[in-house]
């Protein structure tokens, strides 16, 4: 498409394949006066995630699992209508789709390795608890005669 600002990179050397993007334009709601009734500034960008070969197989599988709730027949759709110009909405939709795919294809976080509390710290905590308990017990009126 002419005027678009380059390929939208998902991560590393992988970017959104322009040929596989499906664009739909419609009239946007909201403010805009008489102009809003005549211009198709709302953008819907669809990407066939299930049928694409642009993503590495591992990424594709990960994205299909994570975006399962958003997919309709393996196609993910992003809408944008916050800008009054179609071009800016197209940019916003492409950026949003790239960010969504980047998040969905990210590797899972490393499992947390539980840290061990040093024995000395634990013993000190218990000693201080016991001391505090003795102090408070000494305040109770039970052993006054």
């Amino acid at each position: 498409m002419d005027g678009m600002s380059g390929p939208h990179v998902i991560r590393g050397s992988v970017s959104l394949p322009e040929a596989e993007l499906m664009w739909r334009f419609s009239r946007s709601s909201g403010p805009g006066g008489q102009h809003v009734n005549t211009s198709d500034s709302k953008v819907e960008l669809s990407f066939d995630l299930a049928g694409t070969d642009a993503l590495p197989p591992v990424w594709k599988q990960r994205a299909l699992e994570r975006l399962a709730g958003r997919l309709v027949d393996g196609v993910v759709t992003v809408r944008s209508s916050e800008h009054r110009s179609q071009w800016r909405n197209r940019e916003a939709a492409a950026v949003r789709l790239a960010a969504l795919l980047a998040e969905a294809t990210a590797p899972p976080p490393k499992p947390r390795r539980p840290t061990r509390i040093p024995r000395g710290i634990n013993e000190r905590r218990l000693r201080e608890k016991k001391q505090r308990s003795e102090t408070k017990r000494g305040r109770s009126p039970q052993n006054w005669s």
Side-chain angles (χ1 to χ4, degrees):
M1 304 287 157
D2 55 279
M4 290 295 277
S5 65
H8 291 280
V9 176
I10 296 173
R11 194 169 55 252
S13 61
V14 181
S15 58
L16 284 174
E18 196 61 49
E20 293 184 26
L21 300 179
M22 294 163 283
W23 299 91
R24 245 185 74 212
F25 309 101
S26 57
R27 295 196 180 132
S28 192
S29 61
Q34 294 157 331
H35 173 73
V36 81
N37 301 325
T38 58
S39 64
D40 291 344
S41 60
K42 180 180 176 183
V43 173
E44 273 191 25
L45 174 58
S46 300
F47 178 64
D48 186 1
L49 187 57
T52 188
D53 291 326
L55 298 176
V58 178
W59 288 21
K60 186 171 158 180
Q61 192 56 43
R62 221 179 270 158
L64 285 169
E65 286 168 13
R66 290 184 184 167
L67 298 175
R70 282 194 68 152
L71 298 177
V72 179
D73 297 331
V75 176
V76 64
T77 303
V78 173
R79 288 172 194 80
S80 176
S81 61
E82 58 263 19
H83 301 292
R84 283 173 65 172
S85 93
Q86 186 192 95
W87 186 81
R88 286 177 68 192
N89 277 331
R90 287 171 68 141
E91 280 293 296
V95 166
R96 202 173 291 166
L97 180 62
L100 183 72
L101 289 175
E103 195 177 314
T105 58
K110 289 192 174 90
R112 184 184 165 275
R113 227 181 95 233
T115 53
R116 285 198 58 224
I117 299 169
R119 200 170 79 217
I121 290 177
N122 216 6
E123 285 173 357
R124 187 178 68 202
R125 181 182 63 85
L126 292 172
R127 199 167 47 247
E128 285 169 2
K129 268 180 78 143
K130 195 170 242 104
Q131 202 172 356
R132 185 89 183 124
S133 157
E134 289 299 323
T135 305
K136 287 190 169 194
R137 202 173 24 196
R139 294 179 188 156
S140 73
Q142 72 181 6
N143 52 7
W144 291 2
S145 8

